[in-house]
Amino acid sequence: MKFAPLVAFYNVAAPVRLALLSCSLLGLAGAARAQDEDPKRYVAFVEEFSGTCTSRNGVQLLVKSTHPTRKLRVWLDRFSRNVGTGDRSRSDLVPRGEPEALGCSRTLDGGTQEWRIAKAQFID
């Protein structure tokens, strides 16, 4: 009886089997596409050497979208010395757009500073 579902499948007419297989494959393809379209995967941080930040032995941090066609809305949490500051920013990033400046990787007192993705979503 282990093979009852398989036997039942083969007792169905060929066109019905084809339709069932097609639906199953489309469902798998849709699930794979949804997983590939995780918006966080398309958020990139960029480093730029700017005068103010390099004088603090740091770099200018920027954020941009790497998605070729879709707009992204991203929420970023700021951390100073690896501790959350409670600051959250929101940016709308366009495909192939210029990176948006966040701030220096070092603060005025020499501590480290970074931004982490809290949430991202497509807005098209």
Side-chain angles (χ1 to χ4, degrees), residues 56 78 80-81 105-113:
R56 299 180 198 165
R78 187 169 71 90
S80 179
R81 293 188 170 122
S105 63
R106 294 225 171 252
T107 59
L108 289 172
D109 63 0
T112 60
Q113 181 170 242

PDB file of all heavy atoms in Angstrom, residues 56 78 80-81 105-113:
ATOM      1  N   ARG A  56      39.112  60.808   9.913  1.00  0.00           N
ATOM      2  CA  ARG A  56      38.797  60.055  11.135  1.00  0.00           C
ATOM      3  C   ARG A  56      39.260  58.601  11.019  1.00  0.00           C
ATOM      4  O   ARG A  56      38.845  57.757  11.794  1.00  0.00           O
ATOM      5  CB  ARG A  56      37.286  60.036  11.374  1.00  0.00           C
ATOM      6  CG  ARG A  56      36.659  61.367  11.563  1.00  0.00           C
ATOM      7  CD  ARG A  56      35.166  61.178  11.797  1.00  0.00           C
ATOM      8  NE  ARG A  56      34.466  62.425  11.559  1.00  0.00           N
ATOM      9  CZ  ARG A  56      33.168  62.531  11.404  1.00  0.00           C
ATOM     10  NH1 ARG A  56      32.408  61.466  11.469  1.00  0.00           N
ATOM     11  NH2 ARG A  56      32.605  63.697  11.189  1.00  0.00           N
ATOM     12  N   ARG A  78      20.914  52.021  12.923  1.00  0.00           N
ATOM     13  CA  ARG A  78      22.295  52.488  13.102  1.00  0.00           C
ATOM     14  C   ARG A  78      22.869  51.898  14.382  1.00  0.00           C
ATOM     15  O   ARG A  78      22.195  51.816  15.412  1.00  0.00           O
ATOM     16  CB  ARG A  78      22.345  54.015  13.161  1.00  0.00           C
ATOM     17  CG  ARG A  78      23.760  54.576  13.169  1.00  0.00           C
ATOM     18  CD  ARG A  78      23.745  56.077  12.966  1.00  0.00           C
ATOM     19  NE  ARG A  78      23.241  56.788  14.118  1.00  0.00           N
ATOM     20  CZ  ARG A  78      23.982  57.235  15.133  1.00  0.00           C
ATOM     21  NH1 ARG A  78      25.288  57.044  15.132  1.00  0.00           N
ATOM     22  NH2 ARG A  78      23.431  57.890  16.130  1.00  0.00           N
ATOM     23  N   SER A  80      26.437  52.025  16.864  1.00  0.00           N
ATOM     24  CA  SER A  80      27.683  52.685  17.219  1.00  0.00           C
ATOM     25  C   SER A  80      28.399  51.781  18.213  1.00  0.00           C
ATOM     26  O   SER A  80      27.822  51.404  19.240  1.00  0.00           O
ATOM     27  CB  SER A  80      27.400  54.049  17.847  1.00  0.00           C
ATOM     28  OG  SER A  80      28.607  54.683  18.205  1.00  0.00           O
ATOM     29  N   ARG A  81      29.630  51.430  17.877  1.00  0.00           N
ATOM     30  CA  ARG A  81      30.405  50.494  18.703  1.00  0.00           C
ATOM     31  C   ARG A  81      29.636  49.197  18.952  1.00  0.00           C
ATOM     32  O   ARG A  81      29.597  48.660  20.041  1.00  0.00           O
ATOM     33  CB  ARG A  81      30.804  51.142  20.022  1.00  0.00           C
ATOM     34  CG  ARG A  81      31.776  52.267  19.833  1.00  0.00           C
ATOM     35  CD  ARG A  81      32.281  52.751  21.174  1.00  0.00           C
ATOM     36  NE  ARG A  81      33.376  53.665  20.955  1.00  0.00           N
ATOM     37  CZ  ARG A  81      33.385  54.912  21.394  1.00  0.00           C
ATOM     38  NH1 ARG A  81      32.385  55.376  22.106  1.00  0.00           N
ATOM     39  NH2 ARG A  81      34.416  55.678  21.149  1.00  0.00           N
ATOM     40  N   SER A 105      32.102  55.681   8.800  1.00  0.00           N
ATOM     41  CA  SER A 105      32.269  54.425   9.537  1.00  0.00           C
ATOM     42  C   SER A 105      32.864  54.659  10.927  1.00  0.00           C
ATOM     43  O   SER A 105      32.864  53.766  11.755  1.00  0.00           O
ATOM     44  CB  SER A 105      33.154  53.456   8.749  1.00  0.00           C
ATOM     45  OG  SER A 105      34.457  54.000   8.580  1.00  0.00           O
ATOM     46  N   ARG A 106      33.352  55.872  11.163  1.00  0.00           N
ATOM     47  CA  ARG A 106      33.880  56.245  12.482  1.00  0.00           C
ATOM     48  C   ARG A 106      33.198  57.523  12.937  1.00  0.00           C
ATOM     49  O   ARG A 106      32.974  58.445  12.161  1.00  0.00           O
ATOM     50  CB  ARG A 106      35.387  56.476  12.422  1.00  0.00           C
ATOM     51  CG  ARG A 106      36.156  55.215  12.116  1.00  0.00           C
ATOM     52  CD  ARG A 106      37.352  55.109  13.055  1.00  0.00           C
ATOM     53  NE  ARG A 106      37.987  53.822  12.936  1.00  0.00           N
ATOM     54  CZ  ARG A 106      37.905  52.881  13.871  1.00  0.00           C
ATOM     55  NH1 ARG A 106      37.232  53.087  14.960  1.00  0.00           N
ATOM     56  NH2 ARG A 106      38.523  51.739  13.715  1.00  0.00           N
ATOM     57  N   THR A 107      32.886  57.577  14.220  1.00  0.00           N
ATOM     58  CA  THR A 107      32.260  58.767  14.786  1.00  0.00           C
ATOM     59  C   THR A 107      33.337  59.787  15.169  1.00  0.00           C
ATOM     60  O   THR A 107      34.540  59.490  15.101  1.00  0.00           O
ATOM     61  CB  THR A 107      31.432  58.391  16.039  1.00  0.00           C
ATOM     62  OG1 THR A 107      32.303  57.786  16.994  1.00  0.00           O
ATOM     63  CG2 THR A 107      30.307  57.441  15.684  1.00  0.00           C
ATOM     64  N   LEU A 108      32.914  60.966  15.599  1.00  0.00           N
ATOM     65  CA  LEU A 108      33.865  62.014  15.977  1.00  0.00           C
ATOM     66  C   LEU A 108      34.795  61.580  17.112  1.00  0.00           C
ATOM     67  O   LEU A 108      35.947  61.988  17.171  1.00  0.00           O
ATOM     68  CB  LEU A 108      33.119  63.292  16.386  1.00  0.00           C
ATOM     69  CG  LEU A 108      32.453  64.053  15.247  1.00  0.00           C
ATOM     70  CD1 LEU A 108      31.592  65.182  15.800  1.00  0.00           C
ATOM     71  CD2 LEU A 108      33.495  64.585  14.283  1.00  0.00           C
ATOM     72  N   ASP A 109      34.299  60.723  18.013  1.00  0.00           N
ATOM     73  CA  ASP A 109      35.138  60.272  19.130  1.00  0.00           C
ATOM     74  C   ASP A 109      35.951  59.022  18.777  1.00  0.00           C
ATOM     75  O   ASP A 109      36.578  58.426  19.649  1.00  0.00           O
ATOM     76  CB  ASP A 109      34.299  60.036  20.388  1.00  0.00           C
ATOM     77  CG  ASP A 109      33.266  58.931  20.221  1.00  0.00           C
ATOM     78  OD1 ASP A 109      33.180  58.336  19.128  1.00  0.00           O
ATOM     79  OD2 ASP A 109      32.540  58.663  21.191  1.00  0.00           O
ATOM     80  N   GLY A 110      35.930  58.621  17.512  1.00  0.00           N
ATOM     81  CA  GLY A 110      36.758  57.501  17.062  1.00  0.00           C
ATOM     82  C   GLY A 110      36.095  56.132  17.131  1.00  0.00           C
ATOM     83  O   GLY A 110      36.690  55.129  16.763  1.00  0.00           O
ATOM     84  N   GLY A 111      34.850  56.062  17.608  1.00  0.00           N
ATOM     85  CA  GLY A 111      34.146  54.788  17.673  1.00  0.00           C
ATOM     86  C   GLY A 111      33.657  54.334  16.306  1.00  0.00           C
ATOM     87  O   GLY A 111      33.537  55.132  15.381  1.00  0.00           O
ATOM     88  N   THR A 112      33.387  53.055  16.186  1.00  0.00           N
ATOM     89  CA  THR A 112      32.883  52.511  14.919  1.00  0.00           C
ATOM     90  C   THR A 112      31.390  52.792  14.788  1.00  0.00           C
ATOM     91  O   THR A 112      30.677  52.937  15.772  1.00  0.00           O
ATOM     92  CB  THR A 112      33.115  50.994  14.829  1.00  0.00           C
ATOM     93  OG1 THR A 112      32.428  50.365  15.906  1.00  0.00           O
ATOM     94  CG2 THR A 112      34.591  50.665  14.864  1.00  0.00           C
ATOM     95  N   GLN A 113      30.951  52.867  13.542  1.00  0.00           N
ATOM     96  CA  GLN A 113      29.557  53.121  13.242  1.00  0.00           C
ATOM     97  C   GLN A 113      29.170  52.302  12.016  1.00  0.00           C
ATOM     98  O   GLN A 113      29.955  52.188  11.081  1.00  0.00           O
ATOM     99  CB  GLN A 113      29.356  54.611  12.988  1.00  0.00           C
ATOM    100  CG  GLN A 113      27.955  55.016  12.689  1.00  0.00           C
ATOM    101  CD  GLN A 113      27.796  56.526  12.688  1.00  0.00           C
ATOM    102  OE1 GLN A 113      27.047  57.027  13.497  1.00  0.00           O
ATOM    103  NE2 GLN A 113      28.468  57.241  11.812  1.00  0.00           N
TER     104      GLN A 113
END
